[in-house]
Amino acid sequence: MRTVKKSSIELNNPSYYNNRELSWLAFNERVLQEALDERNPLLERFKFLAIFSSNLDEFFMVRVAGLQDQVKVNFTKPENKAGMTPRQQLKEIARKTHQLVDLQYHVLKEELFPEIKEEGIKLFNIADISEQELKGIEEYFDEQIFPVLTPMAIDAYRPFPMLLNKSINLAVVLEDKDKDAENRYKTAIVQMPSVLDRMVPLEGKHNKKHFVLLEDVIGHFIGKLFHGFKAISVSVFRITRNADMTIHEEGARDLLKEIEKELKRRKWGAAVRLEIQKPDFDPTVLAHLMKELEIGKNDVYELEGPLDLTFLFNFYKKMEKTNRKLVYENRISQMPPDLTSTESIFDQVAQRDVFLHHPYESFEPVIEFVSEAADDPDVLAIKQTLYRVSGDSPIIKGLKRAAENGKQVTVLVELKARFDEENNVQWAKELEQAGCHVIYGITHLKTHSKITLVVRRKNGNIQRFVHLGTGNYNDQTAKLYTDMSLFTAKKEFGIDATNFFNYLSGYSDQLDFQHLSVAPYGIRQDFLHLIEKEIECHKKFGNGHIIAKMNSLTDKTIIKKLYEASIAGVRIQLIIRGICCLRPGIKGISENIHVRSIVGRLLEHSRIYYFNQNGEEKTFLSSADMMTRNMENRIEILFPVYDRSIKAKIKHILETSLSDNVKAREQDDTGVYYYVKRKKDALEIESQDVLYEEAYRLTEGEE
């Protein structure tokens, strides 16, 4: 392991760092800005509201839940970067989140709903529909909704029910006129069934564009559930629960069964957020819910509009077919120019390394790589890591077929991939049934690396083909996430890949790899060494330059080393989509560092690390961000790119991202992000559009 010089500069000042959780909220604010951006098609703006809500759900279920747990056990130690205690973080998170959610609902109510109405699409309040439409809705309620509903009374014999995480519920206050004043009022809860479509179409010629929401329908006809009682109030609310999983790996005899147990428990974690719909909620109901759920005032969100705006994903799907002008122009991923469909992918990779940039270039070659290996009689073995895959995965189908064809197939399925645990448990079972050797990883570490090894015997000689990537083996997200991958048949990479899989599946000490760098053992040290070498080069030649593109930057050790590089005069350009705990532009500390974030149509997901090294230009791709969890708690791979033409392509992609003046925001020295200022008369450059256009031109054979 390389040694790295320790800095004598004091860089622990909390004002030099952004808090991790608040930086994440700043990222989600940038997602929300896309819903405000009138340059985006109208339905896409609705979808960004849904993404914002989905992101926020996960944030509360994991990050806020974790902070609340710390407060409950009186943990008061400040986090080690910005120096905020758990209680301080929760207070600031609540303040900022309330502000953002208020803006979200303002945009929905005052901008998007009025604009979509002009397109003939309308989400009605049930009080505003015609008598004829109401009659049709009542028939639908009686036939389709009523039989599924279960009223849950709350009294001495029937305690407050355990309500599912993220479910929408209706709290009903009922009056029994035959009882005395003390016993006259009762409370019941009705859970909105998730099996029913939340968008209920109105009858008539507009029935494909006019809807009411399911909770509105249930609330209107709620009296039918409580004969002899009068409904005094109906309050619509939603609970978010702690969904982080605690897996006791050391004592687990079977990790798969242990995770299946935890998945059942996840639905019933402690409540961390309560959302309630304005203006019709009953204040007494709110007080009762807060008491039962042990929710504080800061974690109550009174929302003037529909709860759980993730339903807008479904709204988008239903409405996109009605008017294609309301969604993004369809973009088609191109076949990479270095590959032909007529020749075996193995024969092509044997001749040269092949680089793919998704989704500008198709994910199909990756699928074909596994599929061809499954059917090729010369292939002896396939080994692959899987973190997240799609619901109907062609990768899984190829692996199963390979095993059925008698090949040795080893698959590491990461059962602890957050919120994909259930899918991965199912995939693990299916792969085992097909004859694959399935392993679940290593105790206390998540296997997040993206690697496939195919071993082939051709004319009596063993060949090893390796695929390495920055993103998951997921054919669906490959259409939406920007990622990079590399095919290589270089012997040294094949040896490294073999040793890597042997390390995962067997018992062995950490191996020395020839080209790969593997966390949790080497990646941080290699990053520190590369930054240190860039500092040395700059001191000698004055041309130090680092460009790094990733999802998030949180690792304090690496941040401090980047500060040292900035102090030494090295030019550092960071392209970080999400969390960034580094604060740029601080005089004497980080004034040579620039941080930008690109949030647009595609989710920026590739991890690229470029070091000038006095013109030697070292370029690396990785499954890892510069986050502490990636450095210490995950098995990751950082791999070099040697081919000059591929390195030139990657550098061009970085430069294109750095030239974006439409979807890029830059962080200032206080941690706040602003849209990049475009110079007067400068052309608009939206990097994702530019890269699509370039992919089209390359496919057509243009320079």
Side-chain angles (χ1 to χ4, degrees):
M1 187 174 285
R2 297 184 176 102
T3 57
V4 179
K5 296 177 184 177
K6 290 187 177 180
S7 171
S8 59
I9 304 166
E10 178 52 54
L11 295 172
N12 290 316
N13 188 331
S15 67
Y16 296 166
Y17 301 90
N18 297 315
N19 171 263
R20 184 194 195 282
E21 317 308 344
L22 298 180
S23 182
W24 182 91
L25 279 174
F27 154 66
N28 211 27
E29 182 175 11
R30 297 193 289 280
V31 173
L32 183 56
Q33 287 171 352
E34 292 300 306
L36 279 73
D37 192 339
E38 295 179 358
R39 293 170 296 191
N40 291 326
L42 186 54
L43 278 174
E44 302 296 345
R45 295 170 67 189
F46 277 96
K47 186 190 273 190
F48 277 112
L49 287 186
I51 295 169
F52 174 87
S53 287
S54 177
N55 288 347
L56 208 54
D57 282 348
E58 185 171 333
F59 180 67
F60 270 87
M61 289 189 292
V62 177
R63 305 303 305 183
V64 173
L67 289 170
Q68 289 184 353
D69 285 346
Q70 291 179 37
V71 169
K72 285 174 185 175
V73 296
N74 296 316
F75 184 83
T76 58
K77 185 178 178 181
E79 41 94 18
N80 76 339
K81 288 186 278 290
M84 297 176 71
T85 66
R87 197 176 295 276
Q88 287 172 329
Q89 290 179 73
L90 286 172
K91 184 178 179 181
E92 190 58 24
I93 286 168
R95 184 196 68 79
K96 185 63 178 178
T97 306
H98 276 93
Q99 182 186 95
L100 292 177
V101 170
D102 286 346
L103 176 59
Q104 179 190 27
Y105 277 82
H106 173 82
V107 171
L108 179 68
K109 187 176 178 181
E110 302 300 328
E111 294 185 29
L112 300 189
F113 275 159
E115 288 186 40
I116 205 76
K117 184 179 176 182
E118 293 179 8
E119 301 293 338
I121 300 169
K122 187 171 181 183
L123 199 60
F124 279 85
N125 191 319
I126 200 165
D128 298 330
I129 65 176
S130 69
E131 285 187 25
Q132 183 64 32
E133 288 169 328
L134 184 60
K135 185 178 178 182
I137 289 293
E138 185 170 10
E139 288 176 3
Y140 179 81
F141 175 84
D142 292 339
E143 294 174 9
Q144 302 291 330
I145 302 174
F146 182 85
V148 188
L149 299 177
T150 302
M152 295 177 283
I154 301 173
D155 55 30
Y157 296 94
R158 291 166 291 193
F160 189 88
M162 180 61 81
L163 301 172
L164 281 170
N165 183 29
K166 298 194 292 182
S167 64
I168 293 178
N169 303 273
L170 291 81
V172 190
V173 176
L174 302 157
E175 181 182 18
D176 184 353
K177 292 183 179 179
D178 296 333
K179 299 288 184 180
D180 57 33
E182 188 177 344
N183 299 303
R184 178 169 291 182
Y185 297 102
K186 309 287 185 183
T187 303
I189 288 177
V190 178
Q191 192 161 97
M192 191 173 78
S194 60
V195 293
L196 298 178
D197 195 332
R198 190 161 170 203
M199 295 171 61
V200 181
L202 297 179
E203 290 186 351
K205 63 181 180 180
H206 299 297
N207 67 334
K208 290 186 178 180
K209 291 187 175 183
H210 288 181
F211 305 88
V212 288
L213 290 178
L214 181 60
E215 63 267 32
D216 207 3
V217 175
I218 296 172
H220 189 82
F221 297 109
I222 200 82
K224 294 191 176 193
L225 289 165
F226 303 98
H227 293 292
F229 290 80
K230 180 183 178 182
I232 300 299
S233 69
V234 179
S235 303
V236 182
F237 69 95
R238 179 175 184 257
I239 301 166
T240 312
R241 296 187 179 278
N242 184 333
D244 209 11
M245 287 173 53
T246 304
I247 301 165
H248 304 288
E249 297 181 54
E250 289 283 9
R253 296 180 65 184
D254 188 326
L255 183 61
L256 188 142
K257 289 181 179 178
E258 185 71 21
I259 285 177
E260 286 182 307
K261 289 178 188 176
E262 281 298 317
L263 286 169
K264 292 175 183 176
R265 295 190 195 111
R266 172 186 274 173
K267 299 174 183 177
W268 317 114
V272 294
R273 177 180 57 168
L274 172 63
E275 297 164 287
I276 193 162
Q277 189 172 326
K278 293 198 298 186
D280 300 323
F281 74 83
D282 187 326
T284 60
V285 167
L286 174 58
H288 183 61
L289 289 172
M290 290 174 66
K291 182 179 178 182
E292 286 287 348
L293 299 169
E294 298 180 338
I295 284 277
K297 186 178 178 182
N298 280 346
D299 296 312
V300 175
Y301 290 79
E302 299 175 12
L303 307 176
E304 198 162 346
L307 304 185
D308 187 11
L309 294 186
T310 61
F311 87 90
L312 294 174
F313 285 123
N314 190 35
F315 176 70
Y316 176 97
K317 287 180 182 177
K318 286 179 181 291
M319 294 298 100
E320 67 174 322
K321 297 171 185 175
T322 66
N323 188 343
R324 288 296 306 174
K325 291 181 180 177
L326 301 180
V327 298
Y328 287 130
E329 177 189 353
N330 192 29
R331 294 283 200 176
I332 300 171
S333 298
Q334 303 298 299
M335 287 302 293
D338 291 342
L339 287 175
T340 67
S341 57
T342 56
E343 191 179 358
S344 163
I345 194 166
F346 297 116
D347 292 341
Q348 296 178 75
V349 173
Q351 296 170 35
R352 63 187 177 279
D353 288 357
V354 174
F355 170 75
L356 302 176
H357 190 201
H358 315 296
Y360 312 104
E361 294 174 331
S362 175
F363 189 71
E364 196 59 35
V366 181
I367 298 170
E368 184 58 32
F369 182 64
V370 176
S371 182
E372 188 176 329
D375 298 323
D376 187 338
D378 293 328
V379 167
L380 305 176
I382 305 172
K383 301 183 181 186
Q384 187 170 43
T385 58
L386 294 179
Y387 192 75
R388 301 187 200 276
V389 294
S390 65
D392 186 28
S393 172
I395 296 285
I396 296 283
K397 290 176 183 176
L399 293 170
K400 288 164 66 176
R401 195 168 72 253
E404 289 159 1
N405 287 341
K407 302 179 191 313
Q408 183 174 320
V409 180
T410 303
V411 188
L412 187 146
V413 179
E414 181 47 77
L415 298 182
K416 296 170 287 182
R418 183 174 283 139
F419 300 119
D420 269 308
E421 299 96 341
E422 194 167 357
N423 289 335
N424 288 2
V425 164
Q426 186 57 39
W427 287 132
K429 290 178 178 178
E430 284 193 27
L431 288 165
E432 284 179 335
Q433 288 167 4
C436 300
H437 176 55
V438 179
I439 53 179
Y440 307 144
I442 292 179
T443 306
H444 302 308
L445 298 172
K446 284 186 182 179
T447 304
H448 190 248
S449 48
K450 328 296 181 184
I451 182 171
T452 304
L453 169 66
V454 173
V455 181
R456 191 173 183 239
R457 184 166 52 207
K458 190 75 170 176
N459 299 324
N461 297 316
I462 290 293
Q463 299 174 313
R464 283 183 268 206
F465 297 87
V466 181
H467 175 264
L468 293 156
T470 67
N472 298 308
Y473 288 106
N474 187 319
D475 57 298
Q476 294 305 310
T477 57
K479 299 172 185 175
L480 305 170
Y481 294 11
T482 71
D483 270 306
M484 295 179 174
S485 62
L486 184 74
F487 290 109
T488 184
K490 286 187 170 68
K491 184 177 179 180
E492 298 84 357
F493 275 81
I495 293 169
D496 276 0
T498 300
N499 289 336
F500 177 78
F501 279 105
N502 288 344
Y503 162 69
L504 291 181
S505 63
Y507 291 110
S508 63
D509 292 333
Q510 169 61 18
L511 300 165
D512 288 328
F513 295 100
Q514 297 179 69
H515 297 285
L516 303 184
S517 180
V518 176
Y521 307 100
I523 291 182
R524 180 191 275 138
Q525 282 301 112
D526 284 342
F527 276 142
L528 295 174
H529 173 77
L530 286 161
I531 298 168
E532 183 67 48
K533 191 170 180 185
E534 199 65 39
I535 293 171
E536 292 172 5
C537 285
H538 184 78
K539 288 177 178 176
K540 289 181 183 177
F541 307 105
N543 58 3
H545 189 195
I546 296 170
I547 309 174
K549 182 180 183 297
M550 67 198 88
N551 297 326
S552 296
L553 170 60
T554 67
D555 190 75
K556 189 174 181 180
T557 305
I558 292 176
I559 292 172
K560 288 168 74 173
K561 182 58 70 172
L562 289 170
Y563 283 159
E564 288 179 43
S566 172
I567 292 165
V570 175
R571 183 163 62 111
I572 302 169
Q573 294 172 295
L574 303 177
I575 307 164
I576 302 172
R577 184 194 81 231
I579 302 164
C580 180
C581 294
L582 178 150
R583 191 170 285 187
I586 302 171
K587 191 172 181 180
I589 300 294
S590 59
E591 56 195 320
N592 290 310
I593 303 177
H594 296 272
V595 176
R596 62 168 40 209
S597 171
I598 296 171
V599 178
R601 173 178 181 171
L602 302 173
L603 185 137
E604 296 286 339
H605 194 252
S606 50
R607 291 93 165 188
I608 312 166
Y609 303 100
Y610 165 89
F611 303 87
N612 184 46
Q613 307 281 276
N614 190 36
E616 289 185 15
E617 295 196 315
K618 294 192 175 179
T619 303
F620 301 84
L621 302 178
S622 183
S623 58
D625 294 311
M626 287 178 167
M627 299 181 76
T628 303
R629 71 181 188 189
N630 298 92
M631 303 293 104
E632 297 180 359
N633 304 319
R634 292 187 173 191
I635 297 174
E636 306 272 14
I637 293 176
L638 174 77
F639 58 97
V641 177
Y642 294 127
D643 184 280
R644 287 186 179 182
S645 65
I646 295 175
K647 286 167 71 172
K649 285 179 186 177
I650 294 171
K651 189 175 182 184
H652 170 71
I653 290 164
L654 288 172
E655 289 169 345
T656 302
S657 296
L658 291 168
S659 68
D660 193 310
N661 55 21
V662 175
K663 294 298 184 183
R665 290 84 158 170
E666 289 187 341
Q667 186 191 156
D668 69 10
D669 61 357
T670 67
V672 177
Y673 285 81
Y674 298 94
Y675 277 101
V676 169
K677 290 181 179 178
R678 189 164 62 251
K679 294 178 181 178
K680 189 178 179 181
D681 300 326
L683 290 173
E684 286 192 353
I685 300 172
E686 191 170 342
S687 56
Q688 293 178 355
D689 281 351
V690 169
L691 293 169
Y692 262 125
E693 293 299 330
E694 289 179 352
Y696 290 155
R697 289 201 300 273
L698 283 170
T699 303
E700 292 165 1
E702 298 177 21
E703 289 298 325

